[in-house]
Amino acid sequence: QVESLYPHPGWVELDPEVLWSQFVGVIKEAVQAAGLHMRQIAGLGISTQRATFITWHKRTGKPFHNFISWQDLRSAELVNSWNKSFLLKVIHVIFTVLHFLTGNDRYLAPSFLTFSTQQTSMKLSWVFKNIHEAEEAAKKNNCCFGTVDTWLLYRLTKGSVYATDYSNASATGVFEPFTKSWNPTLCNLLSIPMSIYPSVKDTSFNFGSADPEIFGAPIPIMAVVADQQSAMFGECCFHPGDVKLTMGTGGFWNVNTGGHLFASRSGLYPLIGWKIGEEVVYLTEGCMSDIGTAIKWAQDINLFTNVDETAKMARSIVDSQGVCFVPGFQVSVNDPYLCASFMGLKPSTTKNHLVRAILESIAFRNKQLYDIIVKKVRIPLQTIRADGGVSNNSFVMQMTSDLINKKIEKPANADMSSLGAAFLAGLASGFWTDKEQLKKLRRIEAVFEPQKDSEEYRPAMDTWLQATKRSLHW
């Protein structure tokens, strides 16, 4: 885990050199811990955080700035002005008419396009408005843009491979999933030069080999995949209607929509899950921010000492006594100014009430997103599989199961992103021949089934929704 940097209020960055050294160090440690030698490694699969990006000089390899995180808010003013702009309203009208006339879903997403601070597009626009060196390099075709995967590929191959895959590209918001290409119209609107983008390859693919100087052997890089899509693959959600719920730093509901690219006005986003040869699998995604971040913050201010004790603390009281916690759920309300807050505090409020309120907020948001998915995704939902660090919290898992009235499977290994990357690399290197072999490797640790009627939570959830409304537009 690379420590985030906060150089200004709302800015969230990662040091590229620290990220690189930790990446190399983790691989060396893992191989050593397994009692293997680097020459025995058949292939490397890379799964990385999405929408966190960097730009660098093509010739020298020198970054123009630190990695700008998906959580970064520096583009908030830009987002706000664009979302209120007359030009965006005109775009909505044009694409609404096109969608009405053609019935083609390709025109649906632009008909309700709004920008958010989590998208790469607006922060990239900010870079070219504020970092002169990047702007000048782009004019001379010397500026490279990359999410974490692209930059790692570039470093691993000493600059000989400059590429990304379809899953990472589609998560930037600058890539058009319908045409499977970088979006020139959007780039033109936001003054982002088209010359900066890497080529886009299959997810399970031989990207080349790591330079032998790095690991002592030339390890083939056989897969590159975005973390949420990788977790989906690791959970073996291979069929339309399969659902994956990841609760890590942020929270992500992903539904496999097969060969159908699905767009919705309700905060669900179409993505490319993976491309393997001729097979292209699409996902629709609903997300929430500040899950793991909120829990870590609570630990940092000593609300508890060990994450494992939070479920017990929450169960030690009958309810949160009207206390509500509102994390920064920017995507749900498209409000970069939403204020993370506690409400309903009383003299009798204890640490247990605060911890329970934080955990309840995760379950309530899960319920919100699940309801949107059920209403908008026109595919019968199948198995729901959870992963990520917060899936180890039995209170959140049970409450979510109660609220959505569905059983949820939790795998034995909560880190599905790394497993998905390994599966994809194994397929590309011939270690496994098909997905049926991968399904046999799944191990379920626990199954959470509904125990309470969701209506029992209605008063508490209504109070939480009120608190969320009061926290908007801060």
Side-chain angles (χ1 to χ4, degrees):
Q1 183 69 44
V2 180
E3 284 294 316
S4 295
L5 307 172
Y6 306 97
H8 299 286
W11 291 29
V12 187
E13 298 182 351
L14 303 173
D15 185 313
E17 291 307 318
V18 171
L19 190 151
W20 168 250
S21 62
Q22 289 196 11
F23 171 77
V24 172
V26 164
I27 291 173
K28 287 179 176 176
E29 283 172 29
V31 172
Q32 190 175 14
L36 299 171
H37 191 277
M38 287 293 179
R39 290 190 190 88
Q40 295 173 271
I41 307 301
L44 174 65
I46 301 174
S47 167
T48 54
Q49 186 184 94
R50 308 172 308 176
T52 294
F53 74 93
I54 194 167
T55 62
W56 68 94
H57 196 283
K58 188 179 285 184
R59 193 165 39 79
T60 66
K62 185 184 174 188
F64 294 118
H65 51 83
N66 283 335
F67 273 103
I68 298 175
S69 168
W70 66 278
Q71 298 166 302
D72 188 282
L73 298 176
R74 74 186 66 196
S75 62
E77 293 293 339
L78 210 53
V79 166
N80 208 27
S81 63
W82 260 104
N83 285 343
K84 289 178 178 175
S85 69
F86 177 71
L87 179 54
L88 195 61
K89 290 180 176 64
V90 171
I91 290 167
H92 288 170
V93 171
I94 291 168
F95 282 98
T96 299
V97 171
L98 283 171
H99 181 250
F100 176 76
L101 293 174
T102 65
N104 189 334
D105 269 4
R106 182 185 168 186
Y107 301 121
L108 182 58
S111 72
F112 54 83
L113 169 71
T114 52
F115 293 104
S116 95
T117 55
Q118 292 191 343
Q119 293 165 339
T120 304
S121 53
M122 273 299 171
K123 291 191 279 269
L124 195 49
S125 181
W126 182 94
V127 164
F128 289 107
K129 283 179 168 60
N130 291 275
I131 300 178
H132 180 67
E133 295 91 335
E135 184 191 19
E136 285 302 305
K139 285 176 184 173
K140 297 171 184 172
N141 199 20
N142 263 331
C143 181
C144 294
F145 155 83
T147 41
V148 179
D149 62 299
T150 303
W151 190 76
L152 289 176
L153 266 178
Y154 193 83
R155 289 289 297 262
L156 282 168
T157 60
K158 298 279 180 83
S160 67
V161 177
Y162 178 46
T164 187
D165 92 297
Y166 284 92
S167 68
N168 279 290
S170 74
T172 61
V174 201
F175 189 82
E176 170 54 72
F178 283 94
T179 59
K180 300 186 192 68
S181 61
W182 298 106
N183 190 329
T185 309
L186 183 64
C187 291
N188 197 31
L189 275 175
L190 301 180
S191 304
I192 301 169
M194 282 295 290
S195 62
I196 66 170
Y197 295 112
S199 58
V200 185
K201 308 290 186 188
D202 283 8
T203 309
S204 185
F205 178 79
N206 188 342
F207 285 84
S209 292
D211 190 282
E213 282 185 18
I214 298 169
F215 297 116
I219 300 174
I221 303 158
M222 303 304 286
V224 164
V225 60
D227 56 2
Q228 297 312 313
Q229 289 95 317
S230 189
M232 191 85 173
F233 203 88
E235 290 274 31
C236 297
C237 292
F238 301 141
H239 307 291
D242 283 348
V243 183
K244 184 268 310 171
L245 164 60
T246 293
M247 292 180 287
T249 308
F252 301 86
W253 283 82
N254 293 93
V255 183
N256 183 325
T257 58
H260 177 64
L261 194 53
F262 178 86
S264 163
R265 293 177 182 272
S266 306
L268 300 178
Y269 295 88
L271 292 169
I272 296 174
W274 51 84
K275 183 176 181 297
I276 305 172
E278 294 303 307
E279 179 197 40
V280 181
V281 170
Y282 295 103
L283 313 179
T284 192
E285 178 176 279
C287 62
M288 45 189 166
S289 59
D290 297 346
I291 289 185
T293 312
I295 291 172
K296 185 179 184 303
W297 167 79
Q299 187 174 11
D300 289 345
I301 63 165
N302 299 318
L303 284 184
F304 55 87
T305 51
N306 191 316
V307 174
D308 296 338
E309 68 192 82
T310 55
K312 187 178 176 184
M313 290 172 74
R315 286 198 187 93
S316 71
I317 47 178
V318 292
D319 57 38
S320 66
Q321 219 180 56
V323 177
C324 295
F325 176 68
V326 182
F329 293 142
Q330 298 149 21
V331 173
S332 63
V333 290
N334 201 30
D335 177 13
Y337 301 107
L338 180 139
C339 172
S341 54
F342 277 109
M343 292 192 195
L345 298 174
K346 305 169 186 68
S348 56
T349 299
T350 65
K351 286 183 177 182
N352 290 352
H353 293 113
L354 298 178
V355 168
R356 181 167 176 132
I358 291 171
L359 300 186
E360 283 182 344
S361 74
I362 299 169
F364 290 148
R365 183 64 180 132
N366 278 336
K367 165 68 171 168
Q368 275 189 320
L369 282 174
Y370 177 79
D371 285 351
I372 291 169
I373 288 165
V374 168
K375 188 177 178 182
K376 298 294 180 181
V377 178
R378 298 179 293 275
I379 296 172
L381 301 186
Q382 307 300 325
T383 313
I384 298 172
R385 295 165 181 164
D387 61 78
V390 183
S391 70
N392 292 317
N393 190 294
S394 58
F395 179 85
V396 172
M397 291 289 284
Q398 186 58 57
M399 188 172 170
T400 300
S401 175
D402 291 344
L403 283 166
I404 68 175
N405 196 33
K406 285 276 186 182
K407 75 172 186 178
I408 306 172
E409 292 180 2
K410 181 195 169 298
N413 173 16
D415 189 1
M416 280 292 132
S417 294
S418 57
L419 186 62
F423 280 173
L424 286 156
L427 286 172
S429 61
F431 189 81
W432 293 294
T433 54
D434 58 40
K435 298 196 196 87
E436 291 306 311
Q437 288 181 299
L438 303 180
K439 288 180 189 176
K440 291 172 185 172
L441 299 173
R442 287 199 73 241
R443 297 289 179 269
I444 299 169
E445 182 181 274
V447 178
F448 292 85
E449 300 200 35
Q451 293 180 357
K452 280 187 185 178
D453 190 311
S454 62
E455 281 304 305
E456 290 185 41
Y457 296 99
R458 177 64 56 193
M461 187 161 178
D462 286 345
T463 305
W464 179 79
L465 289 169
Q466 257 188 315
T468 303
K469 284 176 186 171
R470 284 180 179 268
S471 299
L472 300 179
H473 313 302
W474 180 261

